[in-house]
Amino acid sequence: MSIRNNWTFQEIQEIYNKPLLELMYEAASVHRQYNQTGEVQVCTLLSVKTGGCTEDCAYCPQAARYNTGLKAHKLMDVNEVLTKANEAKESGSTRFCMGAAWREVRDNRDFDRVLEMVKEVNKIGLEVCCTMGMLTEDQAQKLKEAGLYAYNHNLDTSEEHYEKIITTRTYEERLHTIGNVRAAGISVCSGGIIGMGETDEARIGMIYTLATLPEHPESVPVNALVAVEGTPLEDMKRVSVFEMVRMIATVRIVMPKTMVRLSAGRLDMPVAEQALCFMAGANSIFAGDKLLTTPNPSFSDDMAMFNLLGLKPREAFKKEAIEKLVTS
Ligand code: SAM
Ligand code: DTB
Ligand code: SF4
């Protein structure tokens, strides 16, 4: 099977609706064909600017308008961030993703500080990623020059369901930022969340939009909603592992080379459930006992899981290393 960007909604729907074991088998086969199975990328998140966000994303504990009890924190100092990045590296992470609760990046002193963070974390030898809201082409370029490896900007859901979740910025704006990241030569990380009351069609719709971008995102995070008290989605029921597996497997089949990240929601998943997700083609996780603001399994629990399942952490900059080998 070749890498395709001309998927139709219906083709993806047919894959998504296959009997679950059939779907898993096909996804596992595609995974074996395109990737080193048994290898899982370990990323660590750090919220460098927390809470107080102007936006109304219905899932988000960091939106100022919801009363979630979260303590807001202004942009961290570069040195504090470096300490955390070094700890992440020592624990075995190869990618370090810095999150800021901003609607968009602004051209101010905070941005200068972010550029400094990117430069310094890059020197440690970690793949540096940021997730800070909308970016202009010029800002993306500056981040690239500072050494940014990847930028995370999620579509979150399908275009149709989007307006039930966020009203303060458009789907179009999200796609525009993703285009700016791509144009600057930064690796694109974009995915979404399931468990926000969306239909199967909305889940398929989001995959369709990602799979028909001119180039597939290099990584697609699949988050299970972490229903946080105080947010409009606080009463949402936790998604089942079978919904996660269906989503992950479909993403794996239609975007064979993409890193598929089993993201938020792992804390409630027993190892047996996570194993099904790896079997279905997930090959990346967020490790460390905190995501941005909510808890996550500890490094030691994850390493115990890796040992049990025979998984090993993926080295940093693998794609570049492979490309260098091929061209030399
Ligand atoms: N402010 C930036 C933005 O919105 O792009 C960056 C940070 S934002 C928290 C990054 C992503 O985290 C969101 O797009 C969403 O997909 C995910 N996320 C946030 N809260 C979540 C939750 N409660 N459960 C699952 N995923 C969540
Ligand atoms: C992504 O898709 N999931 C991560 C990362 N990208 C930035 C964030 C999950 C956040 C979960 C809620 C929290 O901890 O605040
Ligand atoms: Fe703000 Fe990002 Fe949370 Fe939306 S997801 S409220 S933009 S921090």
Side-chain angles (χ1 to χ4, degrees), residues 53-57 59-60 62-63 100-103 169 174:
C53 184
T54 53
E55 300 301 274
D56 70 350
C57 312
Y59 49 76
C60 188
Q62 304 201 63
W102 287 329
R103 173 177 206 271
R169 60 179 154 161
R174 295 221 172 217

Side-chain angles (χ1 to χ4, degrees), residues 59-62 100-102 131-133 152-154 156 169 174 192-193 223-226 228 264 292:
Y59 49 76
C60 188
Q62 304 201 63
W102 287 329
T131 179
M132 302 187 163
N152 165 250
H153 199 65
N154 287 342
D156 281 344
R169 60 179 154 161
R174 295 221 172 217
I193 308 176
N223 295 276
L225 176 76
V226 179
V228 178
L292 287 171

Side-chain angles (χ1 to χ4, degrees), residues 1-16 23 26-27 30-31 34 203-204 206-213 215-217 220 246-258 260 280:
M1 198 202 288
S2 58
I3 304 289
R4 289 179 49 194
N5 299 70
N6 62 350
W7 291 100
T8 64
F9 179 91
Q10 206 190 343
E11 281 175 320
I12 300 178
Q13 189 172 38
E14 276 164 19
I15 295 171
Y16 181 94
L23 176 64
E26 192 175 324
V30 170
H31 193 33
Y34 285 90
R203 293 178 188 175
I204 298 161
M206 183 186 83
I207 300 175
Y208 168 72
T209 305
L210 293 169
T212 54
L213 288 171
E215 273 182 80
H216 294 164
V220 171
R246 196 172 281 289
M247 194 70 189
I248 288 168
T250 307
V251 172
R252 169 55 63 220
I253 293 168
V254 300
M255 293 178 265
K257 285 188 175 171
T258 292
V260 183

Side-chain angles (χ1 to χ4, degrees), residues 45-47 50 59-62 70 97-100 129-132 152-154 156 189-193 220-226 228 261-265 286 290-296:
L45 280 167
L46 177 67
S47 180
T50 306
Y59 49 76
C60 188
Q62 304 201 63
L70 181 74
C97 180
M98 297 181 278
C129 176
C130 283
T131 179
M132 302 187 163
N152 165 250
H153 199 65
N154 287 342
D156 281 344
C189 172
S190 186
I193 308 176
V220 171
V222 178
N223 295 276
L225 176 76
V226 179
V228 178
R261 188 165 305 128
L262 171 58
S263 304
F286 286 119
K290 209 162 163 197
L291 289 164
L292 287 171
T293 66
T294 63
N296 193 47

Side-chain angles (χ1 to χ4, degrees), residues 31-51:
H31 193 33
R32 260 146 200 76
Q33 192 184 340
Y34 285 90
N35 305 292
Q36 190 109 39
T37 49
E39 231 184 46
V40 173
Q41 181 188 49
V42 181
C43 322
T44 292
L45 280 167
L46 177 67
S47 180
V48 296
K49 187 267 166 186
T50 306

